[in-house]
Amino acid sequence: MRTLQEMTLQEKLGQRLAAGFQGLEPPKEFLRLIKEYKVGNIILFRRNIQDGPQLKKLCATLRKVVEEETGVTPFITIDQEGGVVTRLPESEVNIPGAMAVAATGNPRNAYDMGLLTAQELRSYGVDFDLAPVMDINCNPDNPVIGVRSYGDTPERVAEYGSQMVRGLLDGGVYCSLKHFPGHGDTAVDSHLGLPCIDRSFDELMQRELKPFIAGIEAGAPAVMTTHILFPQIEPEHIPATMSRRIMTGLLREKLGFGGI
């Protein structure tokens, strides 16, 4: 295993990248990308997965290639939230979505769903689940969150989301809170447009940020950012993902997050 001190600048940059590809096997162009740019991490989608045995073989191949080219074991990531956002095929175990889990009224179920998901992903070689969703379902016109959320109050989302975090971690898989600092109160899909949430810091602390704080306290090692404008926090008209005020000032300095 190589250390940062032993890496060139190109290799350090590659460790901050994750790349994906089309198909059930990595094409030559993708392997060349890893070799030339030292890309250190992988993201898999439904297009890459046929069944459990194929996924296990694919992960072993990808891990071997990245380790040979970079000297570092990669993160192999996937969006396995459950419900409407699942990457595993129907032949494998897919848990219910967040809203369905919260409808049971028992936060322990969220822990169990996280543990089950982690155990399954690890058995295939996936070690990083890009979940859970910590957004609050507070806008009925939201086209992208909806049933992916645990509920319409910060307390409910915090309780169930933090249990999912604990389950995933206890199952031996990394996880990522998303979508910081909150994607719930929008009527625009940030994959297609640039939403705006016009809230002050105090308003965010009372609502959107509560679930993320709970997830951080539960030990979440990573946070996924969101491409949304928060003009009262970042006046430069740039989305949260690109904002030092939000990513460093808010997430790291005010909330004390030290992870990825």
Side-chain angles (χ1 to χ4, degrees), residues 198-221:
D198 194 17
R199 294 195 192 280
S200 68
F201 170 73
D202 289 340
E203 289 172 327
L204 289 175
M205 285 294 291
Q206 291 301 313
R207 194 172 180 84
E208 277 80 5
L209 295 179
K210 281 186 174 181
F212 291 98
I213 293 171
I216 291 169
E217 291 175 347

Side-chain angles (χ1 to χ4, degrees), residues 57-247:
K57 182 179 178 181
L58 174 63
C59 288
T61 297
L62 292 170
R63 183 166 281 107
K64 183 174 184 292
V65 169
V66 174
E67 287 180 348
E68 287 177 350
E69 294 297 338
T70 70
V72 181
T73 299
F75 290 130
I76 299 181
T77 72
I78 196 170
D79 292 276
Q80 186 69 12
E81 298 172 12
V84 298
V85 179
T86 56
R87 306 306 188 207
L88 299 180
E90 292 182 2
S91 60
E92 312 310 313
V93 177
N94 289 298
I95 65 169
M99 189 172 288
V101 173
T104 67
N106 184 357
R108 172 71 191 201
N109 289 330
Y111 174 87
D112 290 341
M113 295 301 98
L115 183 63
L116 177 63
T117 297
Q119 291 170 339
E120 184 177 36
L121 292 178
R122 273 184 60 85
S123 73
Y124 302 136
V126 178
D127 58 7
F128 202 143
D129 189 10
L130 302 175
V133 170
M134 302 300 268
D135 303 307
I136 304 164
N137 185 36
C138 56
N139 188 329
D141 295 323
N142 194 312
V144 70
I145 300 301
V147 295
R148 298 169 65 193
S149 169
Y150 286 103
D152 57 6
T153 68
E155 292 77 19
R156 190 175 187 85
V157 176
E159 182 176 25
Y160 283 81
S162 60
Q163 286 298 322
M164 177 77 167
V165 167
R166 293 185 177 97
L168 287 166
L169 295 178
D170 285 352
V173 166
Y174 294 98
C175 62
S176 178
L177 310 176
K178 61 187 189 186
H179 308 82
F180 184 85
H183 201 319
D185 194 13
T186 72
V188 176
D189 184 346
S190 60
H191 296 92
L192 306 174
L194 186 58
C196 178
I197 296 180
D198 194 17
R199 294 195 192 280
S200 68
F201 170 73
D202 289 340
E203 289 172 327
L204 289 175
M205 285 294 291
Q206 291 301 313
R207 194 172 180 84
E208 277 80 5
L209 295 179
K210 281 186 174 181
F212 291 98
I213 293 171
I216 291 169
E217 291 175 347
V223 169
M224 182 187 295
T225 65
T226 186
H227 312 309
I228 293 179
L229 299 175
F230 290 83
Q232 293 195 47
I233 309 299
E234 174 52 82
E236 298 300 322
H237 199 76
I238 55 178
T241 299
M242 300 178 179
S243 168
R244 182 174 178 81
R245 290 184 177 94
I246 293 175
M247 293 298 95

